[in-house]
Amino acid sequence: EKVRLVEVLDSIHGNGELTNKIKAFEEDARARGAPYTTVLKWAKSDERRKIYAASSKMYAKKLLRIDKTSRRIGRYAAMEKELYRRFADRRAHARKTSARWLVHTARHLMRTSFAEGLSPDKPFKAGPGWLRRFARRWRICRRKKTNCKNSTWEETMPVLQRYFRSFRRRLRSSGWAPGMAGASTSTDADLDTQKWGQYLPHLRLNVDQVPLPFINDMDYTYEEKGAKRVAINQYAPALAKRQCTAQVCFRPVAPPEVDGMHRVVPQPKPSIIFRGTGKHVSQEEKDAYPDDLVVLWQPKAWVDRPMAQEWVTKVLKPMVLADRAAGVPESSRYLLIQDNLDAQCQPAYLDSLRQLGIDDHKVPPNKTDQVQPIDRGFGRMLKIYIGQECDEWLEDDENLCMWEGNLLTASARRVLIAHWYSAAFTKVIQSAAARKFFEHAGGLLTADGSEDDRIKLEGVPAGAKFDWEDDENGDIPLPSYPADSDPEDPDLVAVGDEEQESSTSACDDPLMNWDRCKGKSARKA
């Protein structure tokens, strides 16, 4: 404004026809009543320079202006609010939401519900810039799928609540009562029973199948920043697919030593299943396998019904006999946590377990990623350690030449992966994470509820508390565990590489008795 008034005064002073400059300035409409003496002071050289400098700064500030308020709420705030509501509803049902869906939905909303006030000269285009700003305003981003189970937490929660209720009732089903160990004459065994129920930690096991490729953990490498192509020289890319199956079984803790005459067996022996029958494998190769590894053979390296029976005989039976010899009471029973694999639902298999004093405990179908310890990180850690064993082996120049020259025979690959798996299994078992996997999955559920806070389920909303306790008069009955029904299909059903569990298992007890599964319960590879 000062600059404008000074320019008005200059124009009047420059007009030679005007004799009374003061009267002409005060009567000029452009002066808007400004005092002549004040404007004359501004027109002096020093004041003029200050006024023009301040004006230039104001112009620059206006030129660089950023409307943060409108950027924060957006020009189409009402439409974006409705768009986000639809987005949240779509994601609540685990449906894919692409950029195309967001753009098309935004355009549809603008045409149908928010067209009022929209200028026809500047139509809403929903371009890449708007999409980027919308995502930033509403804190959404493009993410890779992390959970392959097609269910939301709202759908999963009631299933897990029923599962943990039934699990706790099973722990309390052998004469357990609150405060039973509170007397002064209580022994350590009574205290353990009061806390854990009829299955102490060393009597709980988990078994699952982990597909093993020959090439593990070879997808990442260090490279210079900005490199457009990151290549890793791999040995026969087809070997990155499943070459064998690891039958993984472990327990959270080893049994206590009671009888000093016999050595306690901390864990069941790890076992691995190779393709073939093993009849044409040389004795030299068999002798090269690790002594602490049970090697099994199946035409497609699957755990079918005969293979499950053989595994019980060669792995679980020696462990149980060693425990009994080391002082584990004959009256104590084991609890084997396992999924609904067809071979693990058969009466013959379950009878073999019962003869060894092992009770079957099925987890809910399609929820193994939540409540099965091996799926909670044991299998992933196992493959990471196998990859580290492979990296260490490749540090030798001769081994690296065989790797890059594709000179390893099938026999040599089997020996290598057997040793790598055995070493990796030992590392995982000796780590503190082995017990954590049981705790997080609820495999170490207590009968008195003292350690419920250690159960860490995936997908629980932030700030929400997962609670499954019911009142004393709850209407959920104790499940019956014996599998007394024959399968409808007596033929062998093979198990594929991925989930290795049934996705269509039908169970008599909707709570926890998934061991009475019927029908064709596995997918072919």
Side-chain angles (χ1 to χ4, degrees):
E1 181 67 16
K2 291 182 179 181
V3 172
R4 189 186 63 81
L5 292 174
V6 170
E7 291 177 350
V8 171
L9 183 62
D10 290 341
S11 65
I12 293 176
H13 283 182
N15 190 349
E17 299 178 357
L18 297 175
T19 57
N20 192 344
K21 308 294 185 182
I22 299 176
K23 183 178 181 180
F25 178 81
E26 293 177 348
E27 292 179 353
D28 195 316
R30 296 176 296 172
R32 297 180 181 177
Y36 174 81
T37 55
T38 303
V39 179
L40 184 62
K41 186 188 300 184
W42 292 344
K44 293 181 179 180
S45 59
D46 293 341
E47 290 294 329
R48 183 189 294 265
R49 186 167 54 253
K50 293 179 181 179
I51 291 173
Y52 273 88
S55 177
S56 299
K57 290 181 179 180
M58 291 181 62
Y59 172 75
K61 185 177 180 180
K62 182 178 180 180
L63 188 66
L64 299 173
R65 179 189 63 85
I66 299 177
D67 188 359
K68 296 183 178 180
T69 302
S70 61
R71 287 289 184 91
R72 185 170 59 252
I73 64 175
R75 294 176 57 189
Y76 314 101
M79 181 276 295
E80 291 186 359
K81 184 177 181 181
E82 175 62 19
L83 177 63
Y84 179 78
R85 187 194 66 79
R86 296 193 181 190
F87 161 80
D89 182 67
R90 185 178 180 88
R91 288 304 303 146
H93 292 84
R95 295 172 183 167
K96 178 183 176 180
T97 303
S98 62
R100 179 184 179 88
W101 183 89
L102 290 171
V103 169
H104 283 208
T105 306
R107 291 173 180 172
H108 173 74
L109 289 173
M110 288 300 296
R111 286 195 309 267
T112 58
S113 303
F114 301 93
E116 183 178 357
L118 189 63
S119 174
D121 299 334
K122 294 182 179 180
F124 175 70
K125 297 180 180 180
W130 168 84
L131 182 60
R132 183 177 63 255
R133 291 189 294 271
F134 168 77
R136 183 172 64 250
R137 282 191 289 266
W138 293 92
R139 301 179 62 84
I140 64 176
C141 62
R142 191 168 180 264
R143 295 287 305 276
K144 184 179 180 181
K145 180 179 65 173
T146 59
N147 190 347
C148 296
K149 304 297 183 181
N150 187 22
S151 59
T152 62
W153 172 248
E154 288 73 16
E155 298 169 341
T156 302
M157 181 176 65
V159 178
L160 297 183
Q161 287 176 333
R162 292 193 296 268
Y163 168 74
F164 283 116
R165 287 193 194 109
S166 297
F167 193 178
R168 175 154 290 162
R169 293 188 181 192
R170 183 173 200 179
L171 298 176
R172 298 175 175 178
S173 61
S174 294
W176 183 93
M180 60 181 292
S184 58
T185 58
S186 299
T187 63
D188 292 341
D190 293 334
L191 294 175
D192 289 341
T193 303
Q194 166 66 16
K195 178 178 181 179
W196 300 105
Q198 63 171 326
Y199 301 106
L200 301 182
H202 65 273
L203 299 176
R204 306 183 190 187
L205 303 100
N206 178 220
V207 62
D208 197 17
Q209 299 74 38
V210 178
L212 291 182
F214 181 70
I215 299 174
N216 289 274
D217 200 27
M218 293 284 283
D219 295 332
Y220 294 90
T221 182
Y222 278 93
E223 180 60 282
E224 294 182 358
K225 289 184 177 181
K228 295 183 179 180
R229 184 173 182 269
V230 181
I232 300 178
N233 188 11
Q234 294 189 2
Y235 174 78
L239 296 180
K241 300 180 179 180
R242 183 180 69 96
Q243 303 297 308
C244 56
T245 299
Q247 179 81 342
V248 182
C249 182
F250 79 108
R251 50 186 170 185
V253 294
E257 291 194 24
V258 179
D259 185 358
M261 299 294 294
H262 297 85
R263 184 175 64 89
V264 170
V265 178
Q267 297 289 340
K269 283 189 175 182
S271 57
I272 193 170
I273 306 170
F274 288 121
R275 281 190 175 95
T277 59
K279 296 180 180 179
H280 304 290
V281 177
S282 65
Q283 187 62 38
E284 181 182 4
E285 177 185 340
K286 294 180 180 179
D287 293 339
Y289 293 139
D291 295 334
D292 59 346
L293 181 68
V294 177
V295 179
L296 305 173
W297 300 87
Q298 203 273 344
K300 294 187 178 180
W302 291 335
V303 178
D304 55 13
R305 299 175 185 180
M307 178 54 58
Q309 290 282 84
E310 185 178 357
W311 175 77
V312 171
T313 303
K314 293 185 176 181
V315 176
L316 289 185
K317 185 176 181 180
M319 182 207 70
V320 173
L321 295 178
D323 282 359
R324 303 301 188 196
V328 176
E330 294 284 344
S331 59
S332 60
R333 298 190 63 82
Y334 295 83
L335 186 71
L336 182 60
I337 302 173
Q338 53 190 344
D339 57 28
N340 297 279
L341 182 67
D342 175 81
Q344 296 170 171
C345 291
Q346 302 308 310
Y349 170 80
L350 300 176
D351 288 340
S352 300
L353 294 179
R354 280 192 290 270
Q355 291 174 6
L356 295 174
I358 302 175
D359 293 331
D360 176 45
H361 182 85
K362 290 292 190 299
V363 298
N366 299 318
K367 298 295 181 289
T368 59
D369 59 324
Q370 293 276 12
V371 294
Q372 185 156 245
I374 293 177
D375 286 348
R376 289 303 303 270
F378 191 101
R380 174 58 181 160
M381 184 176 288
L382 189 68
K383 291 185 177 181
I384 291 175
Y385 280 136
I386 292 176
Q388 293 178 359
E389 293 290 327
C390 178
D391 290 343
E392 184 177 355
W393 182 79
L394 288 175
E395 291 178 1
D396 186 276
D397 293 338
E398 184 178 350
N399 297 339
L400 184 61
C401 291
M402 288 191 295
W403 179 277
E404 294 182 344
N406 199 7
L407 301 178
L408 291 173
T409 62
S411 175
R413 293 198 300 269
R414 287 194 294 266
V415 172
L416 283 174
I417 197 171
H419 280 271
W420 294 345
Y421 167 59
S422 177
F425 182 85
T426 302
K427 289 182 179 179
V428 179
I429 288 299
Q430 292 177 350
S431 68
R435 182 186 178 99
K436 293 292 184 182
F437 296 142
F438 256 88
E439 290 178 347
H440 292 176
L444 283 180
L445 186 70
T446 57
D448 60 0
S450 58
E451 296 183 0
D452 288 352
D453 58 322
R454 299 188 180 184
I455 300 176
K456 308 294 184 182
L457 299 177
E458 296 180 351
V460 181
K465 182 181 179 182
F466 177 68
D467 187 17
W468 66 87
E469 285 292 352
D470 54 342
D471 55 21
E472 297 180 356
N473 298 322
D475 57 353
I476 300 179
L478 279 172
S480 56
Y481 294 94
D484 54 3
S485 58
D486 295 328
E488 297 176 357
D489 184 6
D491 298 332
L492 176 67
V493 180
V495 178
D497 300 350
E498 301 177 356
E499 295 296 330
Q500 297 201 6
E501 66 168 292
S502 169
S503 62
T504 58
S505 300
C507 306
D508 294 345
D509 193 328
L511 300 182
M512 195 171 119
N513 188 23
W514 291 288
D515 54 347
R516 305 174 68 178
C517 301
K518 300 180 180 181
K520 303 175 180 63
S521 59
R523 300 188 299 272
K524 293 186 178 181

